[in-house]
Amino acid sequence: MGTKQEPIPPEALPPGWGLAKLDDDRFVYRHGNPVIELIADSTHPDRSHPALGLCRCWELRYQLFLTDSTIARSIAHVSTRQAALDGLLECMHSIHEAADTAIDPVAVEAILDRVSFSELVPDEASSPDRRR
């Protein structure tokens, strides 16, 4: 039996990030300071158009661990595992680039709101509440 290979090579990760959990349907990357996890979970594509024929999609989210609480938010939904990996890596780089400033829950949310998923997700799929 082979061992599971890390989805993102360690040398591609920004400083301070590492793989925390790896399953077939979930991977988690963690940063130690601030303690934040970026998570990709395989989910059912409940909000995708039936004509796309997707049997699953990936939800990207983060968890920020504070002294007395944890904040968890969804970042985006993407259609493939590779798009999830690319999205998490882009989020890691964005957080790393902003590390010069104080990282608090509001700052993390603002940073991740600026991450562009336009190349990973078609415009219609990037907003699940968008109606035609």
Side-chain angles (χ1 to χ4, degrees):
M1 284 185 221
T3 59
K4 290 186 180 179
Q5 184 177 356
E6 290 190 32
I8 300 173
E11 61 273 9
L13 299 174
W17 288 94
L19 184 64
K21 183 176 183 179
L22 174 61
D23 291 327
D24 289 337
D25 294 336
R26 181 176 203 200
F27 36 92
V28 179
Y29 283 87
R30 179 179 274 233
H31 189 274
N33 187 22
V35 180
I36 184 170
E37 288 183 345
L38 293 174
I39 303 156
D41 266 324
S42 175
T43 64
H44 294 285
D46 297 335
R47 296 181 177 178
S48 68
H49 191 282
L52 294 176
L54 297 176
C55 61
R56 71 178 185 173
C57 64
W58 292 83
E59 178 184 22
L60 307 181
R61 60 183 199 283
Y62 74 89
Q63 290 188 109
L64 181 63
F65 298 92
L66 306 173
T67 305
D68 56 352
S69 63
T70 301
I71 296 173
R73 300 271 193 281
S74 181
I75 301 169
H77 288 82
V78 295
S79 59
T80 66
R81 182 178 190 272
Q82 187 59 51
L85 291 169
D86 293 344
L88 288 185
L89 189 57
E90 183 65 29
C91 290
M92 285 182 239
H93 282 292
S94 295
I95 291 170
H96 176 71
E97 289 170 8
D100 295 341
T101 62
I103 299 289
D104 61 32
V106 174
V108 168
E109 197 154 346
I111 291 165
L112 294 176
D113 281 345
R114 289 190 304 261
V115 173
S116 173
F117 288 91
S118 62
E119 294 179 11
L120 305 173
V121 184
D123 289 340
E124 289 78 24
S126 64
S127 177
D129 297 327
R130 180 182 270 174
R131 305 228 193 272
R132 290 184 181 207

